[in-house]
Amino acid sequence: GAVVSQHPSWVICKSGTSVKIECRSLDFQATTMFWYRQFPKQSLMLMATSNEGSKATYEQGVEKDKFLINHASLTLSTLTVTSAHPEDSSFYICSGSGPAGYNEQFFGPGTRLTVL
Amino acid sequence: LAKTTQPISMDSYEGQEVNITCSHNNIATNDYITWYQQFPSQGPRFIIQGYKTKVTNEVASLFIPADRKSSTLSLPRVSLSDTAVYYCLVGSPSGGYQKVTFGIGTKLQVIP
């Protein structure tokens, strides 16, 4: 299957700082990328959906000014957690979906964010 | 988006066949059914996908009845490494992408 990478795999930061997480589709063009957040022992919660070159669509309750998403190319999407706080500590997972008719999402390995 | 219902947890001994059933009563005509596996601190991994009847690949089988309101993931002869959370997802391509909602998943514990 197609491969999606994330960088970094884990990050620890101080409260108030911003953190950028990269998501790359390595061997396919991801026309759409998704960002999820997963708290311990809970399911994945969709945060936002982004199409290449367009603004992201955020799920209800997700602050778009806090979680900045950029999908500048068909192989790269970034999630920036601005002014991070301890409650933002979570496991962030991205996924990519190919062109029309492509029914599958390919998930990255996730990024563990810990805000002190 | 179609909502899915799965058992929260299941236990199985090594070498047994495991069947995990998922209910999706409001599945839409264009929806596909996809199963993912997730290990702790890893992203979900695709297992199998189907639209109707039966689909089989090298790791699992997926059984979908005619009304498509449920589906069953079958894992033959499980091993300890199959201990994971299994998610049933229902969704369809829309405008070129598929947006799905993760349920709580089924935590499978394989016992030696």
Side-chain angles (χ1 to χ4, degrees):
Chain A
V3 179
V4 174
S5 70
Q6 284 184 239
H7 178 80
S9 56
W10 60 270
V11 57
I12 302 173
C13 69
K14 293 182 178 180
S15 184
T17 61
S18 295
V19 175
K20 179 183 285 187
I21 302 171
E22 291 187 351
C23 175
R24 294 181 183 272
S25 56
L26 299 184
D27 52 3
F28 72 103
Q29 292 186 328
T31 52
T32 303
M33 285 188 168
F34 304 86
W35 285 95
Y36 296 84
R37 180 167 52 181
Q38 186 175 34
F39 293 107
K41 298 188 178 182
Q42 294 187 21
S43 186
L44 284 76
M45 292 178 55
L46 179 66
M47 298 175 67
T49 304
S50 71
N51 291 307
E52 183 261 341
S54 302
K55 289 184 178 181
T57 300
Y58 291 81
E59 294 300 300
Q60 191 172 9
V62 178
E63 300 175 58
K64 62 180 181 181
D65 294 330
K66 181 170 184 61
F67 299 99
L68 303 178
I69 293 172
N70 183 278
H71 191 168
S73 75
L74 287 172
T75 60
L76 174 64
S77 177
T78 60
L79 167 68
T80 301
V81 183
T82 62
S83 186
H85 291 285
E87 58 265 29
D88 298 322
S89 297
S90 188
F91 192 53
Y92 291 87
I93 305 170
C94 72
S95 71
S97 181
Y102 206 67
N103 299 330
E104 190 178 330
Q105 288 186 38
F106 297 98
F107 288 84
T111 296
R112 174 74 60 192
L113 170 64
T114 301
V115 184
L116 302 177
Chain B
L1 298 173
K3 181 180 177 180
T4 59
T5 303
Q6 306 172 231
I8 294 175
S9 64
M10 295 181 70
D11 292 339
S12 176
Y13 287 102
E14 270 192 296
Q16 289 189 331
E17 178 185 75
V18 171
N19 295 309
I20 306 174
T21 297
C22 177
S23 297
H24 28 80
N25 292 319
N26 59 340
I27 187 169
T29 302
N30 295 331
D31 285 345
Y32 284 74
I33 301 156
T34 311
W35 285 80
Y36 287 89
Q37 175 192 56
Q38 187 183 28
F39 298 111
S41 296
Q42 294 187 27
R45 184 175 73 102
F46 173 86
I47 300 175
I48 197 166
Q49 184 182 75
Y51 183 79
K52 61 180 180 181
T53 62
K54 177 184 175 181
V55 180
T56 298
N57 62 22
E58 62 275 10
V59 297
S61 294
L62 178 60
F63 299 92
I64 305 169
D67 65 6
R68 303 201 325 124
K69 294 184 182 298
S70 67
S71 59
T72 299
L73 173 71
S74 181
L75 304 173
R77 298 180 298 281
V78 294
S79 63
L80 294 176
S81 62
D82 293 318
T83 294
V85 177
Y86 293 82
Y87 294 99
C88 161
L89 303 175
V90 175
S92 65
S94 175
Y97 62 88
Q98 180 180 32
K99 178 177 174 179
V100 295
T101 300
F102 278 81
I104 197 166
T106 298
K107 184 174 182 180
L108 173 64
Q109 180 69 52
V110 179
I111 306 166

